[in-house]
Amino acid sequence: MPIHKIMENIYSVGAIDWDRTLFDALIPLPYGTSYNAYLIRGSKKTALIDTVEPAKWEDLKQNLSKLNVDKIDYVVSNHAEQDHSGSLPHLLDLYPESVLITGKKGRDMLVPLLDLNEERIQIIEDREELSLGDKTLQFIFAPWVHWPETMFTYLKEDEILFSCDLFGSHLASSHLYASRHDNWLPEAKRYYAEIMMPFASRIVKHLETISRFPVKMIAPSHGPVHDKPDLILQYYQQWVSEEVKNEVILIYASMHGSTENLTMHLTDALIHRGVRVMPFNTISADIGEIALALVDAATVVVASPAILMGLHPNIVYATYIMNSLKPKTRFAGLIGSYGWAHKMVDQLKNLTGDLKVELLEPVLIKGYPTIQDYEQIDHLAELIAEKHRSAGINGA
Ligand code: FEO
């Protein structure tokens, strides 16, 4: 990754991972990612905020060398997850005089994760300040974005918020600033959906906290730096709000065509009633695209054939992910086909126990759909459209 100068004596020195295709062995990365680290040179002390994925240590090391960094006084760990902390052992070896700055929770995670020497760690408290001479770092504890120990570092004089994972995006790019990217917004939203959505209620509080600080720039630990911070802050306000849209996500699997026919009939019936529909066939659907759609949709309908009386395994997987992401979806439906018997309703209820949804009357048919079955699907479409209208959902 090239070195980017952000302001006088402030540099982005992290690494781009152009080829990474999967995060956490789970999340597809269509545009790679970056591990951002930031160097701040004060008149008396030098600090580095976060490091990089261990496989990219050489990139960080080279960038520090190019800037002739022969001493780092403080290494701030905003987040203990290894994509940001994994190079700390290398860095602490290379700069033996450096002190690792983190909170108590950060220490309790970093030491066992990385086998660090506790004597190298200086524990800071929430809102504590650290002087670099003409620059001052302030630490703002921000739990659950996205682990319990996460914190922001605020550079007071330059009004830059180093926000760790919050406001990040998995987007490898040669440009530093979000304003230079055509696709910064969908990727920031995808990142919110995949990583941050389960913590929406925490983020509401963090947004309140951030609003009390003047912020000229937000520098997250993945993806572009937000040079127009008001934009990303406004979008986050919308994503974490209770507001949903007149949209239905249809997550389906089909073995012999019955469930697919029901799904397509429901798709058309909803479109006919002015509802936006997003069908996802679980054979090929990108789980990140489903997560992205879940940010706004008022309703999710799961469509499954019965396999050994239960939901299709693809549907179990997608539903498990959905439950973990805790979207603000208000209504859920279940449609599908079975051969002789099923227990799909109870299974779905068990899988979605963390969602605050109203489960609409399921439409589960035996065998191939008949005219009467399609009429039931029409009734479901009408019910969904009416639920959206009655709830005053935007666009209904
Ligand atoms: Fe980018 Fe939660 O680590």
Side-chain angles (χ1 to χ4, degrees):
M1 180 163 171
I3 296 163
H4 293 283
K5 183 175 177 179
I6 298 176
M7 288 184 192
E8 201 57 36
N9 290 320
I10 306 166
Y11 301 90
S12 171
V13 292
I16 300 178
D17 205 339
W18 300 97
D19 295 331
R20 189 159 180 177
T21 55
L22 209 56
F23 207 85
D24 290 343
L26 174 68
I27 302 166
L29 301 180
Y31 303 105
T33 192
S34 68
Y35 317 108
N36 301 343
Y38 300 97
L39 184 78
I40 301 165
R41 281 178 157 147
S43 56
K44 293 183 178 162
K45 303 280 187 184
T46 296
L48 180 73
I49 298 178
D50 288 323
T51 67
V52 297
E53 179 79 31
K56 294 290 177 185
W57 158 242
E58 285 298 326
D59 292 25
L60 174 59
K61 185 179 164 186
Q62 282 177 24
N63 282 348
L64 295 172
S65 171
K66 284 181 204 160
L67 287 170
N68 299 315
V69 179
D70 50 16
K71 187 177 183 214
I72 293 177
D73 299 283
Y74 303 115
V75 187
V76 177
S77 175
N78 275 345
H79 183 14
E81 192 166 11
Q82 292 93 323
D83 49 329
H84 312 295
S85 71
S87 293
L88 277 173
H90 295 307
L91 193 99
L92 294 172
D93 282 349
L94 188 63
Y95 295 95
E97 71 290 348
S98 60
V99 173
L100 176 57
I101 303 291
T102 187
K104 279 196 190 72
K105 284 185 182 168
R107 175 200 59 193
D108 292 347
M109 299 181 91
L110 286 167
V111 169
L113 275 176
L114 303 169
D115 194 24
L116 294 182
N117 177 357
E118 277 200 57
E119 291 177 3
R120 299 289 299 271
I121 298 176
Q122 179 179 325
I123 300 291
I124 46 85
E125 301 295 331
D126 188 23
R127 307 303 167 98
E128 191 172 326
E129 296 185 2
L130 184 68
S131 174
L132 306 179
D134 60 348
K135 294 187 187 296
T136 313
L137 303 180
Q138 185 173 25
F139 307 106
I140 303 165
F141 287 7
W144 296 108
V145 288
H146 96 273
W147 281 7
E149 89 303 351
T150 41
M151 66 179 194
F152 308 143
T153 298
Y154 180 65
L155 179 51
K156 291 179 79 169
E157 290 77 7
D158 299 281
E159 299 179 349
I160 301 177
L161 183 74
F162 298 93
S163 59
C164 77
D165 279 347
L166 190 63
F167 310 121
S169 47
H170 286 309
L171 180 55
S173 168
S174 52
H175 294 308
L176 179 66
Y177 294 117
S179 61
R180 299 286 306 277
H181 290 274
D182 291 338
N183 62 338
W184 76 269
L185 180 56
E187 293 319 304
K189 188 173 183 181
R190 179 196 291 260
Y191 187 91
Y192 168 78
E194 294 167 338
I195 309 289
M196 295 293 161
M197 191 155 61
F199 312 112
S201 61
R202 300 276 182 162
I203 295 170
V204 169
K205 295 190 177 81
H206 296 328
L207 292 176
E208 281 171 21
T209 302
I210 292 168
S211 71
R212 294 195 282 275
F213 290 79
V215 176
K216 280 192 187 133
M217 215 172 275
I218 294 178
S221 56
H222 295 285
V225 169
H226 298 285
D227 48 336
K228 295 178 179 168
D230 287 352
L231 272 181
I232 188 71
L233 290 169
Q234 281 165 17
Y235 279 110
Y236 260 75
Q237 290 284 7
Q238 188 184 317
W239 299 336
V240 300
S241 74
E242 294 294 316
E243 186 187 318
V244 288
K245 294 183 179 168
N246 184 28
E247 297 175 353
V248 173
I249 301 175
L250 266 161
I251 301 172
Y252 72 97
S254 190
M255 296 191 295
H256 302 292
S258 301
T259 301
E260 183 166 11
N261 283 352
L262 292 173
T263 304
M264 291 304 122
H265 191 91
L266 181 58
T267 300
D268 291 350
L270 286 165
I271 292 170
H272 181 68
R273 288 163 176 82
V275 181
R276 185 181 178 212
V277 192
M278 290 169 281
F280 292 98
N281 187 337
T282 55
I283 289 175
S284 55
D286 174 337
I287 203 76
E289 293 288 329
I290 296 177
L292 185 56
L294 284 167
V295 174
D296 296 319
T299 297
V300 175
V301 176
V302 167
S304 179
I307 290 192
L308 300 173
M309 297 204 298
L311 295 162
H312 189 287
N314 285 3
I315 296 296
V316 172
Y317 173 69
T319 310
Y320 176 86
I321 298 275
M322 176 170 72
N323 187 58
S324 304
L325 292 175
K326 298 188 176 68
K328 54 192 174 186
T329 311
R330 304 225 188 129
F331 308 103
L334 172 63
I335 64 174
S337 169
Y338 59 94
W340 53 94
H342 72 85
K343 49 187 178 185
M344 293 193 283
V345 177
D346 286 344
Q347 199 181 4
L348 183 71
K349 284 179 183 170
N350 289 335
L351 281 165
T352 55
D354 291 334
L355 300 184
K356 294 173 185 160
V357 291
E358 176 187 341
L359 181 60
L360 307 175
E361 185 62 33
V363 179
L364 297 165
I365 63 146
K366 188 165 182 173
Y368 201 78
T370 62
I371 290 172
Q372 290 75 27
D373 297 328
Y374 287 127
E375 283 172 2
Q376 284 196 70
I377 293 291
D378 287 333
H379 289 144
L380 177 62
E382 186 56 40
L383 178 64
I384 291 170
E386 178 51 34
K387 289 278 182 189
H388 287 196
R389 280 193 296 271
S390 317
I393 288 167
N394 200 7

